[in-house]
Amino acid sequence: MPRPRVHDLDALLDVAERLVASSTDVTVRGLAAAAGVPNGTIYHAFGSLSALLAQVWLRAATAFLDLQTSLVDQAPSPVEAVVAAADTPAEFALLRPDGARMLLKVRGDRLFGPELPDELAEALHAVDKRLVALLVRLARQLWDRGDGLAVEVITTCVVDLPTAFFRRDITDPLVRERLAAAVRAVLTVPPREKDRP
Protein backbone atom coordinates (compact mmCIF):
# COMPACT_ATOMS: atom_id res chain seq x y z
CA MET A 1 0.00 0.00 0.00
CA PRO A 2 1.55 3.35 -1.07
CA ARG A 3 2.16 6.05 1.50
CA PRO A 4 -0.41 8.86 1.41
CA ARG A 5 0.77 12.15 -0.03
CA VAL A 6 1.11 14.81 2.62
CA HIS A 7 2.26 17.65 0.36
CA ASP A 8 0.20 19.47 -2.25
CA LEU A 9 2.05 18.91 -5.52
CA ASP A 10 0.21 21.75 -7.27
CA ALA A 11 1.43 24.11 -4.56
CA LEU A 12 4.96 22.80 -5.11
CA LEU A 13 4.62 23.44 -8.86
CA ASP A 14 3.34 26.96 -8.08
CA VAL A 15 6.43 27.67 -5.97
CA ALA A 16 8.69 26.27 -8.71
CA GLU A 17 6.95 28.44 -11.32
CA ARG A 18 7.51 31.52 -9.15
CA LEU A 19 11.18 30.66 -8.65
CA VAL A 20 11.79 30.03 -12.35
CA ALA A 21 10.06 33.32 -13.21
CA SER A 22 12.49 35.20 -10.98
CA SER A 23 15.64 33.10 -11.56
CA THR A 24 16.55 30.18 -13.79
CA ASP A 25 18.97 28.91 -11.14
CA VAL A 26 16.52 26.66 -9.29
CA THR A 27 17.94 23.95 -7.04
CA VAL A 28 16.27 21.11 -5.19
CA ARG A 29 17.38 22.59 -1.88
CA GLY A 30 16.14 26.08 -2.75
CA LEU A 31 12.82 24.80 -4.05
CA ALA A 32 12.29 22.54 -1.06
CA ALA A 33 13.04 25.40 1.33
CA ALA A 34 10.73 27.81 -0.50
CA ALA A 35 7.93 25.23 -0.59
CA GLY A 36 8.47 24.09 2.98
CA VAL A 37 8.94 20.43 2.04
CA PRO A 38 11.81 17.96 2.49
CA ASN A 39 14.17 17.50 -0.47
CA GLY A 40 12.98 13.92 -0.75
CA THR A 41 9.46 15.05 -1.61
CA ILE A 42 10.71 16.41 -4.94
CA TYR A 43 12.55 13.23 -5.84
CA HIS A 44 9.72 11.00 -4.61
CA ALA A 45 7.01 12.86 -6.54
CA PHE A 46 8.90 13.79 -9.73
CA GLY A 47 12.06 11.67 -9.89
CA SER A 48 14.36 14.60 -10.58
CA LEU A 49 14.52 18.37 -10.60
CA SER A 50 14.51 18.31 -14.43
CA ALA A 51 11.28 16.32 -14.48
CA LEU A 52 9.68 18.72 -11.99
CA LEU A 53 10.74 21.76 -14.06
CA ALA A 54 9.40 20.09 -17.19
CA GLN A 55 6.07 19.58 -15.39
CA VAL A 56 6.08 23.27 -14.41
CA TRP A 57 6.71 24.26 -18.03
CA LEU A 58 4.14 21.80 -19.38
CA ARG A 59 1.44 22.97 -16.97
CA ALA A 60 1.99 26.66 -17.84
CA ALA A 61 2.31 26.05 -21.59
CA THR A 62 -0.87 23.96 -21.65
CA ALA A 63 -2.83 26.63 -19.76
CA PHE A 64 -1.41 29.27 -22.11
CA LEU A 65 -2.42 27.33 -25.23
CA ASP A 66 -5.88 26.67 -23.80
CA LEU A 67 -6.34 30.41 -23.30
CA GLN A 68 -4.85 31.27 -26.70
CA THR A 69 -7.14 28.83 -28.47
CA SER A 70 -10.16 30.19 -26.63
CA LEU A 71 -9.28 33.79 -27.56
CA VAL A 72 -8.73 32.81 -31.19
CA ASP A 73 -12.08 30.99 -31.24
CA GLN A 74 -13.85 34.12 -29.97
CA ALA A 75 -12.27 36.52 -32.47
CA PRO A 76 -14.66 38.12 -34.97
CA SER A 77 -12.36 37.80 -38.01
CA PRO A 78 -9.19 36.00 -39.12
CA VAL A 79 -7.05 39.13 -38.66
CA GLU A 80 -8.44 39.70 -35.18
CA ALA A 81 -7.82 36.03 -34.40
CA VAL A 82 -4.10 36.58 -35.08
CA VAL A 83 -4.17 39.77 -32.98
CA ALA A 84 -5.83 37.82 -30.15
CA ALA A 85 -3.23 35.06 -30.41
CA ALA A 86 -0.44 37.66 -30.26
CA ASP A 87 -2.04 39.36 -27.23
CA THR A 88 -2.41 36.10 -25.29
CA PRO A 89 0.80 36.58 -23.26
CA ALA A 90 -0.66 39.77 -21.79
CA GLU A 91 -3.98 38.09 -21.03
CA PHE A 92 -2.18 35.13 -19.52
CA ALA A 93 -0.06 37.48 -17.38
CA LEU A 94 -3.23 38.87 -15.82
CA LEU A 95 -4.23 35.33 -14.80
CA ARG A 96 -0.81 33.83 -14.03
CA PRO A 97 1.93 36.45 -13.84
CA ASP A 98 4.67 34.00 -12.84
CA GLY A 99 3.71 31.54 -15.56
CA ALA A 100 3.70 34.28 -18.18
CA ARG A 101 7.10 35.60 -17.10
CA MET A 102 8.52 32.09 -17.12
CA LEU A 103 7.23 31.29 -20.63
CA LEU A 104 8.51 34.58 -22.05
CA LYS A 105 11.84 34.46 -20.26
CA VAL A 106 13.05 30.89 -20.56
CA ARG A 107 13.02 28.37 -23.39
CA GLY A 108 11.70 25.10 -22.07
CA ASP A 109 14.55 22.88 -23.23
CA ARG A 110 17.08 25.19 -21.55
CA LEU A 111 15.13 24.98 -18.32
CA PHE A 112 14.83 21.24 -17.97
CA GLY A 113 17.33 19.77 -20.44
CA PRO A 114 17.02 16.82 -22.83
CA GLU A 115 16.99 13.93 -20.33
CA LEU A 116 13.34 13.35 -19.43
CA PRO A 117 11.07 10.33 -19.01
CA ASP A 118 9.49 9.34 -22.33
CA GLU A 119 5.96 10.16 -21.17
CA LEU A 120 6.94 13.69 -20.19
CA ALA A 121 8.93 14.24 -23.39
CA GLU A 122 5.90 13.11 -25.43
CA ALA A 123 3.62 15.50 -23.53
CA LEU A 124 5.99 18.40 -24.22
CA HIS A 125 6.16 17.41 -27.89
CA ALA A 126 2.33 17.36 -28.00
CA VAL A 127 2.27 20.96 -26.74
CA ASP A 128 4.62 21.99 -29.56
CA LYS A 129 2.37 20.22 -32.06
CA ARG A 130 -0.66 22.06 -30.67
CA LEU A 131 1.05 25.40 -31.21
CA VAL A 132 2.05 24.51 -34.78
CA ALA A 133 -1.52 23.36 -35.50
CA LEU A 134 -2.84 26.71 -34.26
CA LEU A 135 -0.36 28.61 -36.45
CA VAL A 136 -1.38 26.56 -39.48
CA ARG A 137 -5.06 27.11 -38.67
CA LEU A 138 -4.56 30.89 -38.53
CA ALA A 139 -2.65 30.88 -41.84
CA ARG A 140 -5.43 28.88 -43.51
CA GLN A 141 -8.11 31.20 -42.16
CA LEU A 142 -6.28 34.23 -43.55
CA TRP A 143 -4.89 32.99 -46.86
CA ASP A 144 -6.35 29.51 -47.39
CA ARG A 145 -2.87 28.02 -47.20
CA GLY A 146 -0.83 26.30 -44.51
CA ASP A 147 2.61 26.07 -46.13
CA GLY A 148 5.85 27.09 -44.45
CA LEU A 149 5.92 30.64 -45.80
CA ALA A 150 2.39 31.36 -44.62
CA VAL A 151 3.05 29.86 -41.19
CA GLU A 152 6.26 31.90 -40.98
CA VAL A 153 4.27 35.13 -41.26
CA ILE A 154 1.88 33.97 -38.54
CA THR A 155 4.84 32.95 -36.37
CA THR A 156 6.24 36.46 -36.73
CA CYS A 157 2.93 37.85 -35.47
CA VAL A 158 2.16 35.32 -32.73
CA VAL A 159 5.63 34.46 -31.40
CA ASP A 160 8.33 36.92 -32.50
CA LEU A 161 6.50 40.24 -32.11
CA PRO A 162 4.97 39.46 -28.69
CA THR A 163 8.37 38.29 -27.41
CA ALA A 164 9.93 41.59 -28.52
CA PHE A 165 7.07 43.85 -27.35
CA PHE A 166 6.49 42.20 -23.99
CA ARG A 167 10.12 42.20 -22.78
CA ARG A 168 9.44 44.96 -20.27
CA ASP A 169 5.86 45.40 -19.12
CA ILE A 170 3.64 42.65 -20.43
CA THR A 171 0.35 44.20 -19.33
CA ASP A 172 0.95 47.85 -20.35
CA PRO A 173 -2.11 48.86 -22.44
CA LEU A 174 -0.02 51.06 -24.74
CA VAL A 175 2.40 48.20 -25.48
CA ARG A 176 -0.55 45.92 -26.21
CA GLU A 177 -2.05 48.53 -28.54
CA ARG A 178 1.25 48.90 -30.39
CA LEU A 179 1.59 45.13 -30.69
CA ALA A 180 -1.90 44.87 -32.20
CA ALA A 181 -1.04 47.63 -34.70
CA ALA A 182 2.22 45.88 -35.63
CA VAL A 183 0.45 42.55 -36.14
CA ARG A 184 -2.19 44.13 -38.36
CA ALA A 185 0.55 45.86 -40.37
CA VAL A 186 2.49 42.63 -40.91
CA LEU A 187 -0.69 40.90 -42.09
CA THR A 188 -1.17 43.50 -44.85
CA VAL A 189 1.82 41.89 -46.61
CA PRO A 190 0.78 38.28 -47.36
CA PRO A 191 3.28 35.48 -47.91
CA ARG A 192 4.95 35.27 -51.30
CA GLU A 193 2.91 33.45 -53.91
CA LYS A 194 5.83 32.36 -56.10
CA ASP A 195 7.14 29.97 -53.43
CA ARG A 196 3.77 28.42 -52.73
CA PRO A 197 3.78 24.67 -53.47
Side-chain angles (χ1 to χ4, degrees), residues 179-194:
L179 172 62
V183 169
R184 290 186 188 104
V186 168
L187 295 178
T188 64
V189 182
R192 291 172 292 182
E193 286 294 327
K194 67 177 185 176

Side-chain angles (χ1 to χ4, degrees), residues 71-138:
L71 294 172
V72 165
D73 290 345
Q74 295 170 42
S77 71
V79 168
E80 292 310 305
V82 178
V83 171
D87 189 58
T88 302
E91 287 294 325
F92 191 62
L94 295 172
L95 300 170
R96 290 196 28 201
D98 291 329
R101 272 197 310 276
M102 178 188 67
L103 291 175
L104 276 173
K105 178 179 157 186
V106 185
R107 275 187 37 188
D109 56 354
R110 290 195 179 165
L111 177 64
F112 44 76
E115 299 298 320
L116 292 173
D118 289 343
E119 183 178 304
L120 198 47
E122 287 171 17
L124 290 162
H125 183 63
V127 167
D128 285 343
K129 285 173 66 174
R130 263 187 81 189
L131 175 59
V132 170
L134 181 63
L135 298 174
V136 170
R137 171 187 162 191
L138 290 167

